[in-house]
């Protein structure tokens, strides 16, 4: 299959999917969402593949969904995402169902994360079974700063613990690699220049195991998490996310994203915070 926004490689029982829009820190546009899912499907259905690695080209894993390119802004004004149910169904398919599909794959998945891993990027990393972070990795979700509640695939409380997760969302601040490791969100922190090697070493080690044993072990853990409420909470939180979109559309003053016009998000948030500082 010919991919444009990701690179698909295979060897020694390992499929490696590399996000490949480094010029925009791997911001995820529609094509990239589609191709990530297709690449995971390809790896899952290939009997030679035992382990799947999700990596990223360039200095950052992913800056999140592409909200800033002219194409992305134009797409946001078009059907179906400019209606409440249209957006609901679009996002349900593109993120909730797709990333749950990846989370539920029979084969083990490993994310190799460097640099920025923000919002949509956080979703991509956390849908994987194992996360290896380089020392410069930093994680954030600015949904609340943007006037919304959360992202579409919202596993954050499970990743960070409930109390830390609230601080993470309420402030939109970054968590660095060491803190992510301390919280149990990432498995290992490695020097930047060793990220690929350490990830592939681990993938090779896991690939030595029998696929059926890996499948059953993974299912056992995922079912445990599901029995604890993981799956239901994700569906519930997806609806909360949609509520944020709905009120943002009806009353743009409530949503930074809905009222930003053509401004970049970073610029918009910086301006807003400065205004707030001045009125204190
Ligand atoms: Zn959304």
């Amino acid at each position: 299959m010919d991919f444009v926004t990701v690179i698909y490689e295979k060897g020694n029982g390992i499929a490696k999917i590399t996000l490949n829009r480094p010029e925009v820190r791997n911001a995820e546009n529609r094509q990239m969402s589609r191709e990530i899912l297709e690449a995971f499907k390809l790896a899952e259905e290939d009997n030679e593949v035992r382990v799947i690695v999700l990596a990223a080209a360039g200095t950052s894993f992913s800056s999140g969904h592409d909200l800033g390119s002219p194409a992305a802004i134009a797409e946001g004004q078009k059907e179906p995402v400019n209606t409440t149910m249209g957006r609901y169904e679009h996002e349900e398919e593109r993120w909730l169902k797709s990333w749950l599909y990846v989370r539920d794959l029979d084969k083990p998945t490993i994310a190799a994360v460097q640099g920025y891993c923000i919002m949509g990027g956080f979703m991509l990393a956390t849908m994987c079974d194992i996360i290896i972070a380089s020392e410069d990795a930093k994680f954030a979700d600015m949904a609340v700063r943007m006037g919304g509640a959360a992202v579409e695939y919202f596993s954050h409380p499970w990743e960070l613990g409930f109390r830390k997760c609230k601080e993470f969302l309420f402030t939109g601040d970054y968590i660095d690699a060491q803190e992510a490791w301390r919280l149990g969100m990432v498995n290992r922190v490695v020097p930047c220049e060793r990220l690929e090697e350490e990830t592939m070493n681990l993938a090779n080690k896991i690939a030595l195991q029998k696929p059926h044993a890996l499948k059953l072990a993974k299912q056992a853990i995922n079912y445990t998490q599901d029995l604890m409420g993981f799956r239901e909470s994700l569906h519930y939180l997806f609806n909360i996310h949609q509520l944020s979109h709905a009120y943002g559309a009806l009353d743009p003053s409530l949503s930074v994203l809905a009222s930003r016009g053509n401004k970049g998000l970073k610029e918009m948030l910086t301006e807003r915070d400065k205004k707030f500082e001045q009125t204190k």
Side-chain angles (χ1 to χ4, degrees):
M1 194 176 292
D2 288 334
F3 292 112
V4 176
T5 61
V6 303
I7 301 166
Y8 187 86
E9 298 163 292
K10 194 180 88 170
N12 300 324
I14 298 164
K16 187 178 177 204
I17 302 162
T18 304
L19 308 176
N20 194 31
R21 297 186 79 205
E23 67 283 3
V24 287
R25 293 197 177 91
N26 297 310
E28 182 190 322
N29 59 10
R30 285 189 194 207
Q31 187 175 10
M32 190 189 258
S33 309
R34 213 166 37 235
E35 290 188 345
I36 292 167
L37 180 64
E38 286 307 314
F40 272 103
K41 279 187 182 165
L42 197 63
E44 176 78 346
E45 284 158 16
D46 186 337
N47 289 334
E48 289 174 9
V49 173
R50 293 183 172 202
V51 179
I52 309 166
V53 168
L54 179 64
T59 55
S60 283
F61 181 75
S62 174
S63 54
H65 299 155
D66 182 350
L67 304 171
S69 72
I73 290 172
E75 275 172 356
Q77 289 156 356
K78 272 195 304 210
E79 293 275 1
V81 290
N82 66 351
T83 65
T84 302
M85 277 317 287
R87 177 179 287 278
Y88 187 104
E89 281 161 5
H90 170 82
E91 296 197 348
E92 184 183 38
E93 206 56 50
R94 182 172 170 186
W95 290 304
L96 181 66
K97 285 186 183 172
S98 298
W99 298 169
L100 267 175
Y101 165 84
V102 172
R103 182 253 183 188
D104 291 339
L105 291 179
D106 288 342
K107 297 173 183 176
T109 56
I110 305 174
V113 177
Q114 77 276 25
Y116 291 107
C117 180
I118 302 175
M119 300 187 76
F122 194 90
M123 288 160 51
L124 293 177
T126 54
M127 72 184 178
C128 295
D129 297 317
I130 290 173
I131 301 176
I132 309 288
S134 67
E135 281 169 333
D136 72 338
K138 28 196 168 303
F139 304 87
D141 186 332
M142 290 88 166
V144 171
R145 289 187 74 202
M146 289 157 66
V151 286
E152 291 85 356
Y153 177 97
F154 186 71
S155 62
H156 306 23
W158 302 87
E159 302 294 343
L160 303 169
F162 294 96
R163 200 170 299 283
K164 195 70 193 179
C165 184
K166 287 175 188 167
E167 181 188 339
F168 185 65
L169 287 177
F170 293 173
T171 62
D173 287 345
Y174 286 98
I175 284 179
D176 65 19
Q178 280 302 334
E179 179 72 344
W181 176 80
R182 193 186 67 77
L183 294 166
M185 193 207 130
V186 309
N187 296 72
R188 297 180 193 179
V189 181
V190 300
C192 299
E193 66 280 5
R194 293 184 53 82
L195 179 62
E196 176 161 14
E197 189 187 340
E198 297 273 354
T199 303
M200 295 316 279
N201 284 347
L202 181 63
N204 277 308
K205 193 170 187 180
I206 295 172
L208 295 173
Q209 314 306 325
K210 295 281 183 212
H212 68 265
L214 290 170
K215 170 181 169 163
L216 294 179
K218 176 167 170 173
Q219 272 186 4
I221 297 162
N222 279 6
Y223 285 168
T224 302
Q225 204 184 15
D226 287 347
L227 285 168
M228 292 163 77
F230 177 84
R231 189 169 297 271
E232 280 83 358
S233 76
L234 245 68
H235 283 278
Y236 177 73
L237 292 161
F238 177 78
N239 288 342
I240 299 268
H241 173 84
Q242 295 305 318
L243 180 63
S244 312
H245 279 306
Y247 73 60
L250 286 172
D251 184 352
S253 71
L254 293 174
S255 164
V256 173
L257 192 57
S259 59
R260 78 189 171 121
N262 287 331
K263 268 183 205 162
L265 191 60
K266 195 172 176 183
E267 183 193 357
M268 182 81 197
L269 289 174
T270 310
E271 264 179 32
R272 188 210 58 167
D273 289 356
K274 221 181 269 166
K275 244 185 254 166
F276 179 69
E277 280 297 315
Q278 283 161 0
T279 54
K280 264 205 296 196

